[in-house]
Every structure is written in C-alpha cells, then in structure tokens.
C-alpha cells in the first residue's frame, strides 16, 4: 500500500461522523430498543425462577426422551456381521451422545446459575436492608437533644482552668 493511499484512508476515516466515540449515549438507530430513559437493568425473582425452571425441565426431558441406547447394540451387531453401516451407526451414536451431553450441560448450567443468581440477589437485598437500617440508627443518635432548647451545649462551653495547661 502506498503512503499516499494510507494518508487518504486516514483522512476519510477522520471525516466520517459514524466513527466517533459516543460517551453516555446511544446512536440514534439503537435508541428505540434501549428501554427506559435510565437504562437500568431490572431483574425480578419470578423471572429468574422461570428461566431456571424451564432449563431444569428441558434437562429432564432430554434425559428421558433424547437418549438413544438401542443404536449401540445394533451398531455392534451390524459391524460383527461385516456391514460398514455398523461403524457409521456407532459414529453417529457417539456424536449424538456428545452433542446431547453438551446441550444438557448447558441446561444444567443455566438452571444452576439462575438459582445462584436468585440467592445472590436475595443476599444483596438483606445486606442493603441491614446497611440502610444501621444508617438510620446512626442518624437517630444525631437527632437527640443534648441541651434543652435555647441553651448552649456544655461540651462547647468554656474550658476549666485546669484544662488550660
């Protein structure tokens, strides 16, 4: 690539408006899909529970309905009789088992993660409630009257003669 061509490409890239970095905002084409103006993520426990429950049910259905055990014996029989179809059937069966295992692992991971997330959010709620209530208790200590209305607090009064040294 010639140096002049490189300079032209750099200048063209600098002129384009779409290549600019946008901070604290979305491009206009993404704004309809952005949700509320705050952009906060909101998670409800029932939503997490539904996702985890569906993943758990799918895992159980795959375990019951998608496993194919009869092909292994058929593949062995066909192979022992000299049919090439036996090895091909065994290959397909092995591949199916690996793929099914991957899907089942993903379902288990989703289900477990939703349970973990649900518990983590519950723990965060308890932590926040305790933290806020302790702030309320601390604030209440500052609201007490140490001196009667209209009188000066003795703590801020004149020092004793013996304290001056």
């Amino acid at each position: 690539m010639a140096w002049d061509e490189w300079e032209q490409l750099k200048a063209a890239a600098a002129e384009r408006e779409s290549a600019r970095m946008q901070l604290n905002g979305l491009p206009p084409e993404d704004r309809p899909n952005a949700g509320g103006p705050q952009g906060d993520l909101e998670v409800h426990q029932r939503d997490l529970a539904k996702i985890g429950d569906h993943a758990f049910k799918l895992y159980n259905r795959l375990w019951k309905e998608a496993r194919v055990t009869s092909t292994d014996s058929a593949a062995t029989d066909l192979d022992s009789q000299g049919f090439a179809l036996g090895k091909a059937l065994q290959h397909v069966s092995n591949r199916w088992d690996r793929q099914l295992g991957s899907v089942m692992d993903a379902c288990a991971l989703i289900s477990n993660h939703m349970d973990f997330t649900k518990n983590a959010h519950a723990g965060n709620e308890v932590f926040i409630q305790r933290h806020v209530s302790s702030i309320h208790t601390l604030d209440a200590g500052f609201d007490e009257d140490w001196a009667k209305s209209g009188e000066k607090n003795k703590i801020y009064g004149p020092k004793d003669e013996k304290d001056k040294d």
Side-chain angles (χ1 to χ4, degrees):
M1 178 183 298
W3 186 256
D4 292 334
E5 186 180 0
W6 173 248
E7 290 297 325
Q8 289 173 355
L9 289 172
K10 284 186 356 184
E15 290 175 4
R16 278 186 262 153
E17 292 291 322
S18 64
R20 287 187 181 174
M21 182 184 297
Q22 296 182 4
L23 299 175
N24 199 17
L26 293 171
E29 63 271 9
D30 288 339
R31 287 190 184 129
N33 304 322
Q38 300 300 324
D40 293 334
L41 176 63
E42 189 173 323
V43 178
H44 298 285
Q45 297 298 332
R46 66 180 178 275
D47 297 333
L48 296 175
K50 267 187 191 177
I51 293 168
D53 187 49
H54 285 302
F56 181 72
K57 286 178 181 176
L58 179 58
Y59 177 89
N60 287 334
R61 282 195 62 205
L62 289 170
W63 178 256
K64 290 176 189 173
E65 300 172 22
R67 289 183 309 138
V68 182
T69 55
S70 61
T71 57
D72 291 336
S73 60
T76 305
D77 287 345
L78 287 169
D79 189 39
S80 67
Q81 294 175 26
F83 290 102
L85 181 62
K87 288 187 189 225
L89 185 58
Q90 187 62 49
H91 174 75
V92 170
S93 176
N94 290 341
R95 177 62 64 105
W96 177 261
D97 286 342
R98 281 195 305 267
Q99 296 297 327
L100 179 62
S102 295
V103 172
M104 290 176 67
D105 286 347
C107 289
L109 182 67
I110 291 168
S111 178
N112 292 340
H113 186 68
M114 291 300 107
D115 288 341
F116 171 79
T117 303
K118 180 174 69 173
N119 293 335
H121 282 297
N124 289 343
E125 288 295 321
V126 169
F127 174 77
I128 291 169
Q129 287 172 351
R130 285 183 182 164
H131 187 71
V132 168
S133 68
S134 67
I135 290 172
H136 177 70
T137 304
L138 182 62
D139 285 346
F142 287 109
D143 291 340
E144 294 179 10
D145 287 333
W146 292 98
K148 292 182 180 177
S149 183
E151 294 181 14
K152 292 185 177 183
N153 192 333
K154 294 177 185 176
I155 292 185
Y156 300 113
K159 293 185 177 182
D160 293 336
E161 290 296 323
K162 60 183 171 186
D163 290 339
K164 288 185 179 182
D165 293 332

